[in-house]
Short mmCIF file of all heavy atoms in Angstrom, two decimals:
data_model
loop_
_atom_site.label_atom_id
_atom_site.label_comp_id
_atom_site.label_asym_id
_atom_site.label_seq_id
_atom_site.Cartn_x
_atom_site.Cartn_y
_atom_site.Cartn_z
N SER A 14 41.23 76.48 114.94
CA SER A 14 40.79 77.54 115.85
C SER A 14 39.27 77.58 116.00
O SER A 14 38.74 78.43 116.71
CB SER A 14 41.29 78.89 115.36
OG SER A 14 40.70 79.20 114.11
N GLN A 15 38.56 76.69 115.34
CA GLN A 15 37.09 76.73 115.39
C GLN A 15 36.54 75.61 116.28
O GLN A 15 37.02 74.48 116.24
CB GLN A 15 36.53 76.58 113.99
CG GLN A 15 35.06 76.87 113.91
CD GLN A 15 34.59 76.92 112.48
OE1 GLN A 15 34.60 75.91 111.81
NE2 GLN A 15 34.21 78.09 112.04
N THR A 16 35.55 75.96 117.10
CA THR A 16 34.88 74.99 117.96
C THR A 16 33.39 75.04 117.71
O THR A 16 32.80 76.11 117.59
CB THR A 16 35.16 75.29 119.45
OG1 THR A 16 36.57 75.20 119.68
CG2 THR A 16 34.45 74.33 120.37
N ILE A 17 32.77 73.86 117.65
CA ILE A 17 31.33 73.73 117.55
C ILE A 17 30.88 72.98 118.80
O ILE A 17 31.48 71.96 119.16
CB ILE A 17 30.90 72.93 116.30
CG1 ILE A 17 31.41 73.58 115.03
CG2 ILE A 17 29.40 72.72 116.27
CD1 ILE A 17 30.71 74.84 114.64
N ALA A 18 29.87 73.49 119.47
CA ALA A 18 29.33 72.84 120.66
C ALA A 18 27.85 72.54 120.44
O ALA A 18 27.14 73.33 119.82
CB ALA A 18 29.52 73.73 121.88
N GLY A 19 27.40 71.42 120.94
CA GLY A 19 26.00 71.05 120.79
C GLY A 19 25.41 70.57 122.10
O GLY A 19 26.10 69.98 122.93
N VAL A 20 24.12 70.85 122.28
CA VAL A 20 23.35 70.32 123.41
C VAL A 20 22.14 69.63 122.82
O VAL A 20 21.43 70.19 121.99
CB VAL A 20 22.90 71.45 124.37
CG1 VAL A 20 22.01 70.89 125.47
CG2 VAL A 20 24.09 72.17 124.97
N PHE A 21 21.93 68.40 123.25
CA PHE A 21 20.85 67.59 122.71
C PHE A 21 20.05 66.96 123.84
O PHE A 21 20.61 66.30 124.71
CB PHE A 21 21.41 66.50 121.80
CG PHE A 21 22.30 67.07 120.72
CD1 PHE A 21 23.67 67.16 120.91
CD2 PHE A 21 21.76 67.54 119.55
CE1 PHE A 21 24.49 67.70 119.94
CE2 PHE A 21 22.57 68.09 118.56
CZ PHE A 21 23.93 68.16 118.76
N SER A 22 18.75 67.19 123.83
CA SER A 22 17.85 66.58 124.80
C SER A 22 17.41 65.24 124.23
O SER A 22 16.85 65.17 123.13
CB SER A 22 16.63 67.48 125.03
OG SER A 22 15.71 66.80 125.86
N LEU A 23 17.66 64.18 124.96
CA LEU A 23 17.34 62.85 124.47
C LEU A 23 15.85 62.54 124.50
O LEU A 23 15.40 61.62 123.83
CB LEU A 23 18.12 61.80 125.26
CG LEU A 23 19.64 61.99 125.23
CD1 LEU A 23 20.32 60.94 126.09
CD2 LEU A 23 20.17 61.96 123.81
N LYS A 24 15.10 63.32 125.28
CA LYS A 24 13.66 63.09 125.39
C LYS A 24 12.85 64.35 125.14
O LYS A 24 11.69 64.42 125.51
CB LYS A 24 13.33 62.51 126.77
CG LYS A 24 13.95 61.13 126.96
CD LYS A 24 13.47 60.47 128.22
CE LYS A 24 14.08 59.07 128.33
NZ LYS A 24 13.69 58.42 129.57
N GLY A 25 13.47 65.36 124.53
CA GLY A 25 12.76 66.60 124.21
C GLY A 25 12.39 67.42 125.42
O GLY A 25 11.46 68.22 125.38
N LYS A 26 13.14 67.25 126.51
CA LYS A 26 12.85 67.97 127.75
C LYS A 26 13.66 69.26 127.83
O LYS A 26 14.77 69.36 127.32
CB LYS A 26 13.23 67.12 128.97
CG LYS A 26 12.42 65.88 129.16
CD LYS A 26 12.91 65.17 130.40
CE LYS A 26 12.18 63.89 130.67
NZ LYS A 26 12.72 63.21 131.85
N GLN A 27 13.10 70.23 128.53
CA GLN A 27 13.80 71.48 128.84
C GLN A 27 14.83 71.20 129.92
O GLN A 27 14.62 70.35 130.79
CB GLN A 27 12.80 72.51 129.34
CG GLN A 27 13.41 73.83 129.70
CD GLN A 27 12.36 74.84 130.14
OE1 GLN A 27 11.18 74.66 129.89
NE2 GLN A 27 12.80 75.87 130.82
N GLY A 28 15.96 71.90 129.87
CA GLY A 28 16.96 71.73 130.92
C GLY A 28 18.16 72.60 130.69
O GLY A 28 18.26 73.33 129.72
N GLU A 29 19.11 72.50 131.62
CA GLU A 29 20.34 73.28 131.58
C GLU A 29 21.50 72.30 131.48
O GLU A 29 21.57 71.34 132.25
CB GLU A 29 20.46 74.13 132.84
CG GLU A 29 21.62 75.08 132.82
CD GLU A 29 21.63 75.95 134.06
OE1 GLU A 29 21.78 75.41 135.16
OE2 GLU A 29 21.50 77.17 133.90
N ALA A 30 22.39 72.54 130.53
CA ALA A 30 23.51 71.62 130.30
C ALA A 30 24.83 72.34 130.41
O ALA A 30 24.97 73.46 129.92
CB ALA A 30 23.39 70.97 128.92
N ALA A 31 25.80 71.68 131.02
CA ALA A 31 27.17 72.19 131.03
C ALA A 31 27.71 72.09 129.62
O ALA A 31 27.69 71.02 129.01
CB ALA A 31 28.02 71.37 132.00
N ILE A 32 28.14 73.22 129.08
CA ILE A 32 28.61 73.24 127.69
C ILE A 32 30.07 73.64 127.59
O ILE A 32 30.70 73.46 126.57
CB ILE A 32 27.69 74.13 126.83
CG1 ILE A 32 27.90 73.87 125.35
CG2 ILE A 32 27.84 75.59 127.18
CD1 ILE A 32 26.81 74.42 124.49
N GLY A 33 30.62 74.18 128.68
CA GLY A 33 32.04 74.48 128.73
C GLY A 33 32.50 75.64 127.86
O GLY A 33 33.68 75.73 127.55
N LEU A 34 31.60 76.51 127.46
CA LEU A 34 31.96 77.68 126.66
C LEU A 34 32.04 78.91 127.55
O LEU A 34 31.37 78.97 128.58
CB LEU A 34 30.92 77.93 125.57
CG LEU A 34 30.73 76.85 124.53
CD1 LEU A 34 29.63 77.27 123.55
CD2 LEU A 34 32.02 76.57 123.79
N PRO A 35 32.82 79.89 127.15
CA PRO A 35 32.85 81.14 127.92
C PRO A 35 31.46 81.80 127.94
O PRO A 35 30.69 81.66 126.99
CB PRO A 35 33.83 82.01 127.14
CG PRO A 35 34.64 81.07 126.32
CD PRO A 35 33.75 79.91 126.02
N ASP A 36 31.16 82.48 129.03
CA ASP A 36 29.88 83.18 129.13
C ASP A 36 29.73 84.17 127.99
O ASP A 36 30.69 84.80 127.56
CB ASP A 36 29.78 83.93 130.47
CG ASP A 36 29.63 82.99 131.66
OD1 ASP A 36 29.55 81.77 131.46
OD2 ASP A 36 29.57 83.50 132.78
N GLY A 37 28.51 84.29 127.48
CA GLY A 37 28.24 85.21 126.39
C GLY A 37 27.04 84.76 125.60
O GLY A 37 26.33 83.83 125.98
N GLU A 38 26.80 85.45 124.49
CA GLU A 38 25.68 85.11 123.62
C GLU A 38 26.22 84.48 122.34
O GLU A 38 27.21 84.94 121.78
CB GLU A 38 24.85 86.35 123.30
CG GLU A 38 24.11 86.87 124.51
CD GLU A 38 23.10 87.95 124.17
OE1 GLU A 38 23.16 88.50 123.06
OE2 GLU A 38 22.26 88.22 125.02
N TYR A 39 25.55 83.43 121.91
CA TYR A 39 25.94 82.67 120.73
C TYR A 39 24.72 82.48 119.85
O TYR A 39 23.58 82.51 120.32
CB TYR A 39 26.49 81.29 121.13
CG TYR A 39 27.72 81.37 121.99
CD1 TYR A 39 27.62 81.51 123.37
CD2 TYR A 39 28.99 81.31 121.43
CE1 TYR A 39 28.75 81.59 124.18
CE2 TYR A 39 30.13 81.39 122.23
CZ TYR A 39 30.00 81.53 123.59
OH TYR A 39 31.12 81.61 124.38
N ARG A 40 24.97 82.23 118.56
CA ARG A 40 23.87 81.98 117.63
C ARG A 40 23.72 80.48 117.44
O ARG A 40 24.68 79.77 117.19
CB ARG A 40 24.19 82.64 116.29
CG ARG A 40 23.08 82.50 115.27
CD ARG A 40 23.36 83.30 114.01
NE ARG A 40 24.61 82.93 113.37
CZ ARG A 40 24.71 82.03 112.40
NH1 ARG A 40 23.64 81.39 111.98
NH2 ARG A 40 25.87 81.76 111.86
N ASN A 41 22.46 80.01 117.58
CA ASN A 41 22.15 78.60 117.32
C ASN A 41 22.14 78.42 115.80
O ASN A 41 21.33 79.03 115.11
CB ASN A 41 20.80 78.22 117.92
CG ASN A 41 20.49 76.75 117.78
OD1 ASN A 41 21.20 76.00 117.11
ND2 ASN A 41 19.41 76.32 118.41
N LEU A 42 23.05 77.62 115.29
CA LEU A 42 23.17 77.43 113.85
C LEU A 42 21.97 76.72 113.24
O LEU A 42 21.77 76.76 112.03
CB LEU A 42 24.45 76.65 113.53
CG LEU A 42 25.75 77.33 113.96
CD1 LEU A 42 26.94 76.42 113.68
CD2 LEU A 42 25.92 78.66 113.26
N LEU A 43 21.15 76.08 114.06
CA LEU A 43 20.00 75.34 113.54
C LEU A 43 18.79 76.21 113.27
O LEU A 43 18.04 75.97 112.34
CB LEU A 43 19.62 74.20 114.49
CG LEU A 43 20.71 73.15 114.70
CD1 LEU A 43 20.25 72.12 115.71
CD2 LEU A 43 21.09 72.50 113.38
N ASP A 44 18.56 77.23 114.12
CA ASP A 44 17.36 78.06 113.94
C ASP A 44 17.64 79.56 114.03
O ASP A 44 16.71 80.36 114.06
CB ASP A 44 16.27 77.66 114.92
CG ASP A 44 16.64 77.94 116.37
OD1 ASP A 44 17.71 78.54 116.64
OD2 ASP A 44 15.86 77.53 117.26
N ASP A 45 18.91 79.94 114.11
CA ASP A 45 19.34 81.33 114.15
C ASP A 45 18.91 82.07 115.42
O ASP A 45 18.94 83.29 115.46
CB ASP A 45 18.86 82.08 112.90
CG ASP A 45 19.79 83.21 112.52
OD1 ASP A 45 21.02 83.06 112.73
OD2 ASP A 45 19.31 84.24 112.03
N SER A 46 18.51 81.35 116.46
CA SER A 46 18.13 82.00 117.72
C SER A 46 19.39 82.34 118.52
O SER A 46 20.48 81.81 118.26
CB SER A 46 17.22 81.09 118.55
OG SER A 46 17.91 79.90 118.93
N THR A 47 19.25 83.22 119.49
CA THR A 47 20.34 83.60 120.37
C THR A 47 20.31 82.73 121.61
O THR A 47 19.25 82.55 122.23
CB THR A 47 20.23 85.08 120.77
OG1 THR A 47 20.28 85.88 119.59
CG2 THR A 47 21.35 85.49 121.70
N VAL A 48 21.45 82.19 121.96
CA VAL A 48 21.58 81.33 123.14
C VAL A 48 22.55 82.00 124.10
O VAL A 48 23.66 82.39 123.69
CB VAL A 48 22.11 79.93 122.75
CG1 VAL A 48 22.32 79.07 123.98
CG2 VAL A 48 21.16 79.26 121.76
N THR A 49 22.15 82.16 125.34
CA THR A 49 23.00 82.76 126.36
C THR A 49 23.68 81.66 127.17
O THR A 49 23.02 80.75 127.66
CB THR A 49 22.18 83.66 127.30
OG1 THR A 49 21.56 84.69 126.51
CG2 THR A 49 23.06 84.30 128.37
#
């Protein structure tokens, strides 16, 4: 029942990625920031 999703910039660029998760706020497990 658990899903982990990741977004990785191959060149350290800012951007928007399709992640396929329901809309909402999530916690980035790497730095504890909030991701919308």
